[in-house]
Amino acid sequence: MAAIGVHLGCTTACAAIYKGGRADVVANDAGDRVTPAVFAYSENEEVVGLAAKQSRIRNISNTVMKVKQILGRNQKCGPWTWLLSN
């Protein structure tokens, strides 16, 4: 029997496969076992993970990060005010 586990943290994400009595964390395309939970977009492309994290300075208005930290919060002061203050 095989199983897949996914961890969606506030700042990182990872996936593991349990098969043959052992669990192996899946590496991303850069060889890392943990991927930054960041998404960025522009008119031409969408980028996730380390590439999105590294480009956030150039593309801050189209970069999404720390999403889990605002889930369920009252949005009266605007959805991004809390993120930008931290």
Side-chain angles (χ1 to χ4, degrees):
M1 180 175 118
I4 297 173
V6 177
H7 168 72
L8 299 173
C10 290
T11 58
T12 59
C14 67
I17 299 174
Y18 179 81
K19 187 175 181 180
R22 60 180 280 181
D24 291 317
V25 178
V26 179
N28 61 20
D29 57 351
D32 300 325
R33 305 267 180 219
V34 204
T35 301
V38 181
F39 174 81
Y41 60 94
S42 66
E43 289 183 21
N44 305 323
E45 65 179 346
E46 295 85 29
V47 195
V48 297
L50 187 59
K53 184 178 179 181
Q54 291 173 338
S55 71
R56 72 185 183 275
I57 300 301
R58 293 186 318 268
N59 190 21
I60 192 67
S61 62
N62 296 325
T63 301
V64 180
M65 55 190 162
K66 297 184 180 182
V67 171
K68 281 184 67 176
Q69 294 179 6
I70 62 168
L71 292 176
R73 288 184 175 265
N74 185 345
Q75 302 298 317
K76 287 183 180 177
C77 62
W80 304 112
T81 305
W82 183 82
L83 285 176
L84 296 174
S85 66
N86 287 328

